[in-house]
Amino acid sequence: MTEQAERDHVYLVDGSAYIFRAFHALQAMTRADGTPVNAVYGFVRMLTKLVDDADADYLAVIFDTARKTFRNDIYPEYKAHRPPPPPELVPQFDLIREATRAYSLPCIEMAGFEADDLIATYARMAREQGFGVTIVSSDKDLMQLVGPDVRMMDPMKDRFVGPEEVFEKFGVGPDRVIDVQALAGDSSDNVPGVPGIGVKTAAQLIGEYGDLDSLLERAGEIRQNRRRENLIEFAEQARISRELVTLRTDVPVEATLDEFGRRQADPTVLIPFLEEQGFKSILAKERARLPAGDALAGAGDSPAAGEETYELVGDEEALRAWIARIADAGFVAIDTETTSLDVAEAELVGVSLSVAPGHACYIPLGHVVSGQGAQPEAPELDFDGAASLAPEPAPGQIPRDAALALLRSVLEDPGILKIGHNIKYDMHVLARCGIDMAPVDDTMLLSYVLEAGKQRGHGLDVLSSEHLGHDNIKYGDVAGTGKKQISFAEVAIDKALDYAAEDADMTNRLHRLLRPRIAAERMASVYETLERPLVPVLLDMERVGITVDRTVLDRLSVDFAERAAEIASEIHGFAGREFNIGSPRQLGEILFDELGLGDGKKTKSGGGYATDARVLEDLAAQGHELPARVLDWRQLTKLRNTYTAALVGQIDPRTGRVHTSYSQAVASTGRLSSNDPNLQNIPVRTEEGRKIRHAFVAADGSELLSADYSQIELRLLAHVAGIEELREAFRGGADIHAMTASEVFGVPVEGMDPAVRDRAKAINFGIIYGISPFGLARQLRIPRGAAKDFIDGYFKRFPGIRKYMDDTIGFAREHGYVETIFGRKCHTPGITDDRNPRKSFLQRLAINAPLQGAAADIIKRAMIRIGPALAANRLRAKMLLQVHDELIFEVPREELEETAAVVSRTMSTAADLNVPLVVDTRHGRTWDEAH
């Protein structure tokens, strides 16, 4: 856009796109009266960010109205196949318009026209008045408007779209986008186009013939028979499509551009609106903008008063002053800055500290000159004549060894509390520098314990925004250089100061806000006996890691690749031609269009047929070979790409081991999750998956010991639901699945058909997850009526289980959460909204969460106790992995028997239930042998 910055600038926001993006991006949220507001919340967040960041002199939000427009008169099928909006979104449309007006922004819509037509009309008016225009949307249909005075801003990708980006998308300039769309059509809007012509082909044709009319006139010249015939036969359809995709620039709009002038929001309108919706974090931010003393400011809800003071510590004297301040306070909020988010590769660059809200410091320790423009033109030669390319230390930072020595004096002091956000990461980094921090508090875990399942994640940026109304500085703002980002070590020290110190400051503020709630909301037991003491346990496990045999992985990679290639050849043979097996669209065309294996079901996006595992399994069950082999091909390909090939690159060259990272604050039930790499999802039900576990081996002279809780969730069900028959069965060591089959189906245990037992097993485990007749029928491959009869019979025989399920759902609807037997709260937002299409899922979640959550709590209790128990018995075993109900240890071979006994005893006594906790132990040279 030429000289756009010097002219008045008009921003036209595609409000309808904002609505759907917000709705699908956020989980269900309801305000006090039960009205869903997740789309309203997301819309306000996106809109206010745009208003704050944009250089707009004029700004308006444009909305669609009813679906019927002038285009339906041209082509009645236009958008006819689109489903109605989700019922929980419908009441939010009016609230979103109200939100727009509450921020004193024009809310523009017009019956009979789409938002795109209004945007096109206002863009024309702005250009005619000499204004620059930015259209805020990711809608490709608006790209036809891009030109010298008009650009788009794609909020999905956070980038501006000009003619070059339009060419990347369509293969033509903005002035020919309409012609390409007319040929290619648009399945999402039901624009027909010309059969057999996609965007790429359309761009080639328009590039060759100039425009649509010339192409259609000369269609007879095209050599390719089918393309020529389609262009001739469907020429009128292409012209109709052109009318449908062409945006109107002459809509008789009523509002003028003058009415789009930027205005401050009226607090007497805005604040009550935000209060009514219950948007606390947005409310805090907007109140903070109000003049001091304003009666609406609500000082009690706003963040700590006072401007931030962040200090750059570059000498020992200044650091000693901070050390003394920390010693006097008895606590410190701490954050580390490193070269990588991957803890295995992260090197310490600096440390930030805070002891009072609004006051923090940054201590640079590893910044370098390279990357800041100060690198010498030619490298110097070292003593042996080789070029020395080592970066120079940046000026203005304290000597590293001196700083670490001073920091160690307080960070290892047991009388000083260290507060961090995801502090396990900082503990890893500092440990490599010789500093072992203890004791610690973690604001991420405080938030998790208080609001698991309710909060939109527990990252520092999210919590700062939600609780403090503060938007943290983004990493790209300090380390971004155009499209690239430099390492934090290369960021100029003065530029790094605010970014780094802010993290410690916000952590401090959050701790002051969240820590008192732990006691007030009676969550101290969960935090103090489970989550907090688990941090050093996981830290040790991650440090140790597990040995992986590279040769086994390499051999498996080759084997999987060769077998996948053989299966691919078989698949192509069944199909009668080659195609991309990894492409769902191409696979769907083969299965349903060419082979006619069924009617097929289109995906929600309309991009092709659904070809997920369930679809393929159903087809395979009907005796079709091709989908069965595709399942085999997918498994081998996934195992190779996700594990055998990837794990080789994740072996730490310093240790020869793989070091997974455990996250405590992800699953709402309290379960740990493993990542980088994920070692909890290695398939164990297939031979190929078990082969991967052969690569995980014990060190020389040791073996791997597996200790696994037996049927722990079923035992918990018997405990919490009070089912005496199940309790007695577990106490007597009976085969619980055979006993259930005998009770439900009326057959004796002796000589029972294994298939009958398998049905009972499926029901037993399915009940834990609130299985439906449809789900059980699918799993057992029986009629739905028979599955319903099985479940009805189960509940008739064990009515206490049905009562437990109904009571649990009722509790969740009344309180918005369920609890484990240890007091952990698993929130269930949206469960009270009977219009929520996820209602059944949320009810199943509510049924299972107390059981899965209690199982997670029990194994955490065991993990915390096992270390002291091993030490008390002078055993050298190391705990390596946790895989939900299983723990893996590396044990010196001569200590196997005693270690197994200590581990089993500790795990089986981790909770006092009215049924026994049984632990199965096995050992072997490899993980598979130990399993």
Side-chain angles (χ1 to χ4, degrees):
M1 186 178 298
T2 59
E3 300 178 344
Q4 183 164 289
E6 300 178 6
R7 296 176 289 165
D8 281 348
H9 200 150
V10 178
Y11 271 63
L12 302 171
V13 182
D14 183 356
S16 298
Y18 261 29
I19 291 174
F20 284 93
R21 181 187 174 198
F23 177 74
H24 291 294
L26 299 178
Q27 63 182 12
M29 294 171 58
T30 57
R31 65 186 191 187
D33 63 359
T35 302
V37 290
N38 63 319
V40 186
Y41 180 86
F43 178 89
V44 170
R45 290 298 302 271
M46 290 189 290
L47 187 61
T48 53
K49 184 180 187 303
L50 173 69
V51 170
D52 288 345
D53 295 347
D55 58 332
D57 302 290
Y58 301 85
L59 189 148
V61 186
I62 320 295
F63 293 98
D64 285 317
T65 54
R67 286 198 182 159
K68 186 171 176 57
T69 69
F70 70 91
R71 290 181 175 84
N72 296 102
D73 296 329
I74 298 172
Y75 187 67
E77 292 80 13
Y78 178 70
K79 291 189 177 181
H81 68 300
R82 282 199 176 184
E88 65 272 25
L89 177 57
V90 173
Q92 301 189 66
F93 287 135
D94 288 339
L95 284 175
I96 285 170
R97 286 162 171 78
E98 187 179 343
T100 305
R101 289 187 285 267
Y103 276 91
S104 297
L105 295 171
C107 180
I108 307 298
E109 55 191 312
M110 192 169 181
F113 297 92
E114 297 182 51
D116 289 0
D117 299 304
L118 301 179
I119 290 172
T121 298
Y122 282 116
R124 173 191 59 79
M125 293 167 59
R127 288 199 319 273
E128 290 174 354
Q129 296 184 40
F131 297 164
V133 179
T134 294
I135 298 169
V136 183
S137 178
S138 55
D139 187 348
K140 65 183 185 300
D141 295 340
L142 289 163
M143 288 186 176
Q144 63 186 262
L145 303 177
V146 170
D149 300 312
V150 180
R151 65 181 179 181
M152 287 178 65
M153 189 184 85
D154 185 347
M156 298 285 285
K157 299 180 180 178
D158 194 22
R159 67 165 187 167
F160 288 105
V161 175
E164 292 182 3
E165 289 75 17
V166 174
F167 192 90
E168 288 177 9
K169 176 71 175 178
F170 285 102
V172 295
D175 60 332
R176 287 289 171 252
V177 165
I178 293 171
D179 290 345
V180 169
Q181 287 185 298
L183 287 169
D186 188 342
S187 59
S188 64
D189 287 345
N190 217 27
V191 175
V194 175
I197 295 182
V199 171
K200 186 175 180 180
T201 301
Q204 292 173 347
L205 291 171
I206 295 300
E208 182 177 354
Y209 290 91
D211 57 45
L212 180 65
D213 290 328
S214 299
L215 169 66
L216 296 178
E217 289 173 5
R218 299 170 57 189
E221 302 174 9
I222 295 175
R223 294 184 179 180
Q224 189 173 350
N225 292 340
R226 186 173 180 181
R227 185 176 298 168
R228 180 181 64 250
E229 291 168 1
N230 282 348
L231 283 169
I232 294 172
E233 180 180 353
F234 296 99
E236 188 55 29
Q237 189 166 287
R239 294 186 179 97
I240 291 173
S241 297
R242 178 170 57 185
E243 287 190 67
L244 295 176
V245 301
T246 301
L247 300 183
R248 290 276 298 270
T249 61
D250 59 348
V251 178
V253 294
E254 297 178 358
T256 66
L257 290 176
D258 289 340
E259 296 174 50
F260 297 178
R262 291 283 296 274
R263 290 176 292 166
Q264 291 293 324
D266 182 351
T268 63
V269 176
L270 178 60
I271 299 300
F273 172 80
L274 296 175
E275 288 177 335
E276 183 180 6
Q277 312 315 313
F279 296 165
K280 294 181 180 179
S281 62
I282 300 175
L283 192 59
K285 183 175 182 178
E286 295 302 333
R287 280 173 168 161
R289 301 175 192 250
L290 298 176
D294 192 307
L296 290 167
D301 294 331
S302 61
E307 294 185 2
E308 290 80 12
T309 302
Y310 296 157
E311 176 187 347
L312 187 64
V313 175
D315 57 62
E316 288 191 38
E317 182 179 355
L319 180 53
R320 288 183 186 278
W322 272 92
I323 297 297
R325 203 172 302 161
I326 293 167
D328 288 342
F331 70 91
V332 62
I334 181 170
D335 184 66
T336 58
E337 299 301 339
T338 64
T339 55
S340 172
L341 292 176
D342 184 344
V343 70
E345 300 176 358
E347 298 295 335
L348 184 65
V349 175
V351 177
S352 52
L353 309 169
S354 176
V355 292
H359 297 271
C361 72
Y362 178 57
I363 310 158
L365 300 173
H367 287 264
V368 295
V369 171
S370 64
Q372 299 178 33
Q375 186 78 2
E377 292 184 6
E380 298 178 0
L381 297 180
D382 60 20
F383 70 94
D384 63 359
S388 176
L389 298 177
E392 298 178 8
Q397 56 189 345
I398 190 171
R400 187 183 184 90
D401 290 345
L404 291 174
L406 288 171
L407 287 169
R408 186 177 296 109
S409 68
V410 291
L411 298 182
E412 291 189 345
D413 186 337
I416 295 174
L417 177 66
K418 276 67 69 173
I419 304 161
H421 194 87
N422 188 21
I423 201 167
K424 178 158 62 69
Y425 176 91
D426 305 296
M427 294 170 76
H428 270 300
V429 173
L430 290 170
R432 286 202 290 271
C433 299
I435 297 175
D436 292 317
M437 285 198 297
V440 298
D441 245 358
D442 194 326
T443 48
M444 180 180 72
L445 296 181
L446 289 171
S447 172
Y448 175 66
V449 167
L450 291 166
E451 299 182 334
K454 179 180 177 183
Q455 179 69 43
R456 297 184 304 112
H458 304 275
L460 186 60
D461 288 353
V462 170
L463 297 188
S464 297
S465 175
E466 292 287 335
H467 294 294
L468 305 173
H470 178 84
D471 289 332
N472 289 351
I473 301 168
K474 302 298 183 287
Y475 183 79
D477 294 340
V478 295
T481 55
K483 294 184 178 180
K484 297 182 179 179
Q485 289 185 346
I486 58 176
S487 164
F488 199 79
E490 297 177 283
V491 174
I493 290 175
D494 57 346
K495 196 174 181 182
L497 168 61
D498 287 349
Y499 173 82
E502 180 184 68
D503 284 351
D505 181 21
M506 293 303 126
T507 299
N508 189 358
R509 297 186 192 214
L510 286 169
H511 188 262
R512 290 168 178 262
L513 181 71
L514 298 176
R515 200 53 163 96
R517 288 179 54 192
I518 291 291
E521 299 178 27
R522 300 185 179 182
M523 298 302 294
S525 177
V526 176
Y527 182 71
E528 296 292 355
T529 68
L530 292 173
E531 300 301 343
R532 189 183 184 203
L534 189 64
V535 172
V537 176
L538 296 177
L539 184 77
D540 287 342
M541 292 169 62
E542 292 170 2
R543 284 176 180 170
V544 174
I546 186 169
T547 302
V548 177
D549 189 330
R550 182 189 297 264
T551 59
V552 173
L553 291 177
D554 289 340
R555 186 172 66 248
L556 287 174
S557 283
V558 172
D559 178 47
F560 289 166
E562 290 176 349
R563 290 171 58 196
E566 292 172 0
I567 294 173
S569 180
E570 290 181 42
I571 292 169
H572 292 150
F574 288 129
R577 67 178 179 87
E578 292 190 359
F579 67 99
N580 182 359
I581 303 171
S583 166
R585 179 186 288 275
Q586 293 186 34
L587 176 61
E589 291 171 352
I590 291 289
L591 292 173
F592 303 112
D593 291 341
E594 298 184 19
L595 298 181
L597 300 189
D599 294 334
K601 182 180 179 182
K602 292 286 187 176
T603 60
K604 291 182 179 179
S605 63
Y609 294 102
T611 58
D612 56 37
R614 284 189 173 185
V615 172
L616 298 182
E617 287 167 0
D618 285 346
L619 291 174
Q622 297 170 29
H624 299 302
E625 286 290 336
L626 189 149
R629 299 305 276 159
V630 170
L631 286 168
D632 295 337
W633 180 88
R634 282 184 179 178
Q635 182 192 44
L636 288 170
T637 303
K638 180 180 179 180
L639 289 176
R640 183 177 185 276
N641 294 340
T642 306
Y643 294 107
T644 58
L647 278 172
V648 170
Q650 291 171 311
I651 299 175
D652 190 323
R654 295 168 294 187
T655 64
R657 293 178 173 238
V658 166
H659 301 263
T660 188
S661 177
Y662 285 101
S663 299
Q664 291 173 255
V666 176
S668 64
T669 59
R671 269 193 169 189
L672 294 175
S673 60
S674 161
N675 51 78
D676 297 327
N678 183 349
L679 299 183
Q680 293 180 329
N681 279 358
I682 298 176
V684 293
R685 296 182 180 178
T686 63
E687 180 183 353
E688 287 78 9
R690 289 191 295 272
K691 285 180 180 178
I692 294 174
R693 289 195 171 190
H694 275 293
F696 293 83
V697 299
D700 290 342
S702 297
E703 291 200 12
L704 296 180
L705 171 70
S706 166
D708 194 357
Y709 280 116
S710 172
Q711 301 173 338
I712 187 170
E713 291 186 26
L714 277 176
R715 294 172 189 271
L716 284 164
L717 176 65
H719 172 81
V720 301
I723 313 302
E724 194 56 37
E725 296 94 331
L726 294 181
R727 290 178 178 178
E728 287 299 324
F730 280 123
R731 289 170 188 154
D735 181 337
I736 192 68
H737 304 309
M739 187 276 290
T740 300
S742 179
E743 295 279 353
V744 174
F745 303 131
V747 296
V749 172
E750 296 294 331
M752 180 179 292
D753 184 345
V756 176
R757 182 185 180 276
D758 287 343
R759 288 176 179 175
K761 182 178 179 180
I763 299 175
N764 272 334
F765 286 121
I767 288 296
I768 297 172
Y769 295 93
I771 199 167
S772 66
F774 175 81
L776 184 64
R778 187 182 196 94
Q779 185 174 339
L780 297 179
R781 302 200 176 281
I782 59 176
R784 193 181 305 183
K788 183 178 185 302
D789 290 341
F790 290 167
I791 293 175
D792 290 344
Y794 188 94
F795 285 138
K796 184 177 180 180
R797 185 62 192 86
F798 303 114
I801 295 178
R802 174 82 269 175
K803 183 177 185 302
Y804 160 75
M805 296 169 68
D806 292 341
D807 289 349
T808 302
I809 292 172
F811 185 92
R813 289 179 64 88
E814 180 180 353
H815 299 279
Y817 63 86
V818 291
E819 287 184 308
T820 71
I821 56 177
F822 300 100
R824 181 187 299 278
K825 292 180 180 177
C826 309
H827 290 88
T828 55
I831 199 168
T832 59
D833 183 4
D834 293 331
R835 298 169 299 179
N836 192 333
R838 299 174 70 246
K839 178 182 175 182
S840 296
F841 166 78
L842 293 171
Q843 289 181 344
R844 292 194 297 271
L845 178 66
I847 292 167
N848 175 250
L851 306 177
Q852 188 181 105
D857 291 343
I858 288 171
I859 200 165
K860 285 180 177 180
R861 287 161 68 97
M863 293 168 71
I864 293 164
R865 299 175 184 185
I866 280 173
L870 292 173
N873 287 274
R874 298 184 179 181
L875 297 172
R876 295 170 290 166
K878 297 176 181 178
M879 187 157 52
L880 307 184
L881 299 177
Q882 190 254 44
V883 185
H884 303 314
D885 301 333
E886 176 190 15
L887 295 175
I888 304 294
F889 301 83
E890 189 171 62
V891 186
R893 195 168 285 120
E894 64 273 17
E895 297 178 4
L896 266 171
E897 185 176 347
E898 189 177 358
T899 300
V902 170
V903 167
S904 180
R905 182 169 61 250
T906 305
M907 292 177 67
S908 63
T909 57
D912 185 16
L913 305 181
N914 51 31
V915 294
L917 275 175
V918 175
V919 178
D920 297 325
T921 59
R922 302 178 183 85
H923 60 86
R925 180 78 179 88
T926 72
W927 187 2
D928 183 62
E929 291 175 11
H931 207 259

